[in-house]
Amino acid sequence: MSYEDITLTAGDAEVTVQPGNGGRVGGLRVGGLELLRQGDRFGCFPMVPWCGRIRDGRFRDGGAVRQMPLNAAPNAIHGTVRDGAWKVARRTTDEAVLTYDLVEPWPYPGRVTQVVTLTEDTLTLAMAVEAHGSSFPAQIGWHPWFNRNLGGPDDQDVRVSFEPAWQEERGDDHLPTGNRVEPKPGPWDDCFGMPGGVDVGLTWPGRLELKVTSPEEWVVVYDEQEAAVCVEPQTGPPDGLNTLPRLVTPLEPLEAGTTWQWTRL
């Protein structure tokens, strides 16, 4: 089976989709400027069937306790689909549809479908998780690594702006304590609540402004790394399989989407 990268184009925007590398968006170039950090682990990867960390890698489903591999010991992080190869269901010049069948270590059969759609000034990512048999708790999210600096000798670092209603208090273990607190200034590796929908602005002064939006009300912002800034819309907070599970049933998939829209400065 071929897992070649797919290139989508619209106007002077170009997106690389990598079915063979976790179904991630490997690059987003606008007028030749690469907005995403490059590398096999970066770009923008889908987080399914959970987002962020699961405490001790364990979650409860009814009476059963499920154990996920501790890939961020002592916790499990960012789901399983970013480690697999996705199938290409359909592609055109500006859209790609990918699917991934859930397999071990995830204990429930199901399918994830991701649609990547490009226009001249917008990238839209949509995902759905279906259950094939048993119902199960799940989350959907995206983990983009936006370049902090676009690389010109006079370029300034990106500025992040958003107005969350609250911040999830973070314990020493990087997991939410369950308390909601007033949003604090960065640097962040934190989850925020935006009940009206995620709306985060990224501005590279003199270059580009990009808005990350989503109907979902949760976003993790991570800007503790020198090279990149992450703005991660998701359907629930970290450890949400335990604290705020969203149930996927054979009749009702879990669906989510995010849109990135940019303007030149």
Side-chain angles (χ1 to χ4, degrees):
M1 183 172 292
S2 169
Y3 292 114
E4 291 177 0
D5 290 357
I6 296 169
T7 301
L8 308 179
T9 56
D12 69 350
E14 187 177 273
V15 162
T16 303
V17 183
Q18 299 180 322
N21 184 19
R24 79 187 62 216
V25 173
L28 167 60
R29 289 163 298 286
V30 177
L33 291 173
E34 177 56 70
L35 304 188
L36 294 173
R37 182 173 180 192
Q38 297 298 284
D40 287 346
R41 295 174 48 245
F42 300 112
C44 171
F45 62 81
M47 297 186 288
V48 179
W50 73 87
C51 304
R53 295 169 175 83
I54 304 176
R55 187 185 305 278
D56 302 322
R58 287 197 290 270
F59 68 95
R60 186 176 294 279
D61 177 28
V65 176
R66 304 296 189 182
Q67 178 71 56
M68 295 293 102
L70 304 182
N71 58 349
N75 305 306
I77 197 168
H78 294 336
T80 59
V81 304
R82 64 177 176 147
D83 298 321
W86 293 52
K87 295 174 182 169
V88 180
R90 189 174 75 249
R91 60 174 291 186
T92 62
T93 56
D94 56 8
E95 185 172 83
V97 181
L98 311 180
T99 64
Y100 180 85
D101 290 325
L102 293 168
V103 292
E104 293 288 342
W106 187 249
Y108 311 93
R111 172 169 287 187
V112 185
T113 302
Q114 179 174 219
V115 184
V116 182
T117 308
L118 181 66
T119 70
E120 291 186 8
D121 64 356
T122 306
L123 178 65
T124 303
L125 303 169
M127 245 185 316
V129 184
E130 307 166 60
H132 293 170
S134 305
S135 302
F136 55 82
Q139 291 178 298
I140 289 172
W142 286 269
H143 194 306
W145 297 84
F146 292 106
N147 280 322
R148 186 180 291 274
N149 191 290
L150 296 183
D154 302 319
D155 278 16
Q156 300 174 49
D157 286 353
V158 70
R159 297 170 188 170
V160 181
S161 58
F162 64 124
E163 296 182 3
W166 73 85
Q167 180 172 336
E168 295 285 327
E169 183 181 62
R170 175 162 56 92
D172 293 337
D173 57 4
H174 278 255
L175 285 158
T177 64
N179 297 324
R180 292 180 175 179
V181 297
E182 282 291 312
K184 296 178 167 57
W188 299 293
D189 183 9
D190 292 281
C191 184
F192 298 89
M194 303 187 80
V198 172
D199 188 345
V200 180
L202 293 160
T203 303
W204 291 271
R207 290 284 203 170
L208 201 75
E209 184 176 72
L210 183 144
K211 287 185 88 66
V212 176
T213 58
S214 171
E216 301 305 325
E217 66 176 83
W218 306 91
V219 63
V220 168
V221 180
Y222 172 56
D223 68 346
E224 294 180 346
Q225 196 196 78
E226 189 177 342
V229 171
C230 304
V231 177
E232 309 162 36
Q234 45 197 67
T235 60
D239 202 30
L241 291 191
N242 289 307
T243 63
L244 197 71
R246 299 275 293 270
L247 199 64
V248 182
T249 75
L251 295 177
E252 192 168 6
L254 176 61
E255 299 174 330
T258 182
T259 298
W260 308 350
Q261 187 164 28
W262 53 86
T263 51
R264 313 301 173 80
L265 299 177

